[in-house]
């Protein structure tokens, strides 16, 4: 195999991880990617169909909490670095079942850090989130120096992991970089999240369950631009640093839903205001000037074209949606939205 470097990507069968692996395989012939994923409800092998036969790519089914397995992978493959996407990622699920968020997001990250040190892995990138900064009022943005004030069990687990990552840089000298990105949109997102959920419901003429007044604001970035930012941070980021990632694209949830309705030519009467998410963060907005000024990254996909491309992908890949919305998703949906 004509490759020079091996990276361990965790959680590569999920939304962002699968887009990241596809990008690396396509654009970085000098890298081999090992994907360690336990295939939870959110992990889908179909997401990597296009690369699964590439000699640069290897899939291992397993849990990041399994230290024997992680150690074996690192020692047997001279892994240069770890990029940790693996996580429980959905805020609503963290409100009803926080324990698994502690297991995977905190304990799993700790196992990866311990094994990285034990096996002299050179670099560690933690894929974190803007949610660790908490919620904003009408004004202002999150910078890397904003206080860490997470509100949900999900964001607390991500913030805890970030602190462990920083402790491993400080205490053990592991080269670490943390990225904190805003809300991603694009292909392969599990339909529990706003855009694919609303798209799927509107397409099948089901009500669109809007939490609260629908005016919560999220700052949207195309998943490919997030993946590029992770690559910039992994290859060029200064050890010990945090990089915020965002595309300056604030939208209310109702803005997003109206775009979906208009794409599908469906009526606004499908919108149903339901009980708000407990502890619902009001607004996120990311200041990403640091990664732009120091590493030369900038977003390349503008929202208006990115969202149409994304909605077209879901439209043209109905089978993908149907496959993952059978089984576990059906139980989740009725538990989550009935009586809301
Ligand atoms: P996702 O839920 O789509 O995918 C998570 C993946 O991790 C799945 O493939 C799942 O099988 C795997 N996984 C879960 N637990 C595991 C374990 N214990 N061991 C091995 N694999 C496991 O998540 P996503 O939206 O792709 O998010 C990826 C990362 O990016 C997460 O760390 C998340 O916190 C972060 N993030 C997400 C967003 C966003 O908008 N989605 C924004 C910023 C940061
Ligand atoms: O900001 C980055 C974060 O973005 C990531 O760290 C998380 O992993 C990712 O899930 C996402 O979190 P959000 O909570 O912002 O995403 P979600 O798609 O769950 O919700 C987006 C907004 O839409 C939020 O204000 C809640 C609202 N919403 C969501 C759902 C699923 C609804 O109004 N109705 C819904 O049914």
């Amino acid at each position: 195999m004509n490759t020079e470097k091996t990276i361990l990507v965790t959680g590569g069968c999920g939304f962002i991880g699968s887009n990241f692996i596809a990008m690396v395989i396509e654009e970085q012939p000098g890298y081999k990617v090992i994907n360690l994923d336990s295939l939870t409800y959110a992990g889908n092998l179909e997401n990597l169909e296009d690369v699964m036969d590439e000699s640069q790519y290897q899939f291992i089914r397993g849990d990041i909490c399994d230290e024997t397995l992680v150690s074996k992978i690192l020692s047997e493959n001279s892994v240069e670095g770890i990029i940790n996407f693996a996580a429980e990622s959905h805020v609503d699920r963290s409100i009803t079942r926080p324990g698994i968020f502690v297991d995977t997001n905190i304990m799993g990250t700790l196992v990866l850090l311990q094994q990285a040190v034990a096996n002299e892995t050179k670099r560690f990138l933690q894929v974190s989130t803007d949610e660790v900064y908490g919620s904003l009022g009408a004004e202002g943005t999150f910078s890397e120096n904003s206080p860490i004030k997470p509100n949900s069990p999900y964001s607390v687990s991500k913030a805890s992991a970030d602190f462990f990552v920083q402790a491993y840089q400080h205490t053990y000298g592991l080269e670490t970089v943390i990225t904190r990105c805003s809300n991603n949109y694009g292909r392969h997102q599990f339909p529990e999240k706003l855009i694919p959920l609303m798209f799927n419901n509107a397409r099948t003429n089901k009500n669109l369950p809007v939490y609260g007044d629908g005016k919560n604001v999220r700052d949207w970035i195309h998943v490919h631009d997030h993946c590029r930012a992770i690559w910039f941070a992994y290859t060029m980021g200064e050890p010990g640093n945090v990089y915020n990632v965002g595309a300056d694209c604030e939208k209310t949830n109702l803005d997003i839903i109206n775009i979906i309705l208009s794409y599908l030519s469906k009526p606004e009467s499908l919108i149903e205001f339901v009980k708000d998410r407990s502890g619902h963060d009001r607004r996120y907005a990311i200041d990403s000037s640091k990664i732009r000024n120091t590493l030369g990254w900038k977003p390349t996909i503008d929202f208006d074209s990115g969202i149409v491309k994304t909605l077209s992908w879901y439209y043209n890949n109905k089978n993908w949606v149907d496959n993952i919305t059978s089984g576990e998703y059906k139980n989740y949906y009725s538990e989550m939205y009935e009586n809301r």
Side-chain angles (χ1 to χ4, degrees):
M1 191 182 305
N2 184 23
T3 50
E4 292 156 16
K5 294 176 177 169
T6 300
I7 48 175
L8 174 62
V9 170
T10 67
C13 295
F15 166 43
I16 306 173
S18 62
N19 281 287
F20 179 80
I21 291 176
M23 180 191 80
V24 174
I25 300 293
E26 192 180 323
E27 297 176 8
Q28 306 295 337
Y31 280 82
K32 178 184 170 188
V33 177
I34 300 176
N35 173 16
L36 174 64
D37 194 304
S38 61
L39 297 180
T40 67
Y41 76 93
N44 184 353
L45 285 174
E46 247 187 271
N47 291 345
L48 286 159
E49 250 174 4
D50 292 349
V51 302
M52 91 189 162
D53 294 329
E54 298 289 338
S55 58
Q56 258 178 286
Y57 173 70
Q58 183 185 351
F59 172 64
I60 298 174
R61 183 173 189 177
D63 195 318
I64 59 167
C65 299
D66 181 345
E67 57 187 336
T68 310
L69 176 64
V70 172
S71 175
K72 187 170 182 289
I73 295 170
L74 295 178
S75 62
E76 287 181 359
N77 295 281
S78 318
V79 169
E80 175 202 67
I82 300 175
I83 303 185
N84 183 27
F85 291 90
E88 287 295 329
S89 67
H90 192 38
V91 173
D92 290 325
R93 289 184 192 249
S94 81
I95 294 168
T96 49
R97 292 194 181 88
I100 181 74
F101 286 73
V102 174
D103 295 343
T104 288
N105 299 3
I106 306 177
M107 297 308 292
T109 303
L110 180 58
V111 166
L112 294 173
L113 290 164
Q114 286 171 323
Q115 294 311 319
V117 170
N119 290 284
E120 298 178 358
T121 306
K122 227 179 108 227
R123 223 159 147 81
F124 190 100
L125 187 138
Q126 175 70 359
V127 182
S128 186
T129 169
D130 60 354
E131 296 200 13
V132 301
Y133 298 120
S135 183
L136 291 165
E139 301 293 320
T141 53
F142 298 129
S143 81
E144 289 81 358
N145 297 321
S146 297
I148 302 299
K149 287 172 70 179
N151 290 317
S152 70
Y154 162 71
S155 53
V156 167
S157 70
K158 293 295 291 185
S160 312
D162 286 7
F163 284 132
F164 270 110
V165 171
Q166 287 172 330
Y168 267 69
Q169 166 87 39
H170 187 80
T171 311
Y172 303 96
L174 178 67
E175 274 192 19
T176 68
V177 174
I178 297 173
T179 54
R180 293 188 181 136
C181 189
S182 59
N183 285 62
N184 287 217
Y185 68 96
R187 65 174 186 166
H188 298 170
Q189 189 167 33
F190 195 83
E192 63 191 349
K193 308 280 167 52
L194 181 75
I195 291 177
L197 183 139
M198 296 299 173
F199 183 86
N200 197 26
N201 280 18
R203 183 178 196 171
T204 51
N205 299 312
K206 271 173 56 186
N207 282 354
L208 311 183
V210 177
Y211 299 162
D213 63 4
K215 293 188 182 147
N216 298 63
V217 172
R218 296 293 182 265
D219 190 352
W220 292 93
I221 181 170
H222 193 277
V223 64
H224 184 65
D225 279 328
H226 182 195
C227 292
R228 288 177 48 255
I230 290 168
W231 188 254
F232 274 58
Y234 176 74
T235 53
M236 294 183 283
E238 188 67 27
N241 273 243
V242 172
Y243 296 93
N244 282 353
V245 181
D248 299 330
C249 180
E250 291 183 50
K251 304 268 179 217
T252 66
N253 296 334
L254 284 173
D255 291 337
I256 297 284
I257 288 164
N258 283 319
I259 292 169
I260 295 171
L261 287 173
S262 121
Y263 176 89
L264 289 167
S265 305
K266 297 284 182 175
E268 276 188 28
S269 57
L270 286 178
I271 292 175
E272 181 189 14
F273 290 95
V274 299
K275 187 169 162 282
D276 206 354
R277 172 185 279 174
S278 302
H280 196 175
D281 284 343
R282 189 64 176 169
R283 175 172 165 261
Y284 305 141
I286 269 281
D287 170 357
S288 57
S289 49
K290 178 175 170 181
I291 190 168
R292 294 178 194 229
N293 296 336
T294 60
L295 304 186
W297 171 88
K298 62 176 186 208
T300 56
I301 301 177
D302 76 280
F303 185 78
D304 291 346
S305 62
I307 192 72
V308 170
K309 209 172 150 204
T310 298
L311 299 181
S312 309
W313 188 86
Y314 287 103
Y315 191 84
N316 294 324
N317 288 275
K318 192 167 175 303
N319 282 349
W320 182 92
V321 177
D322 289 347
N323 287 347
I324 58 174
T325 49
S326 58
E328 193 271 352
Y329 181 77
K330 283 209 172 100
N331 300 334
Y332 166 79
Y333 193 87
S334 55
E335 205 178 286
M336 188 67 212
Y337 293 99
E338 266 164 27
N339 309 317
R340 201 165 175 135

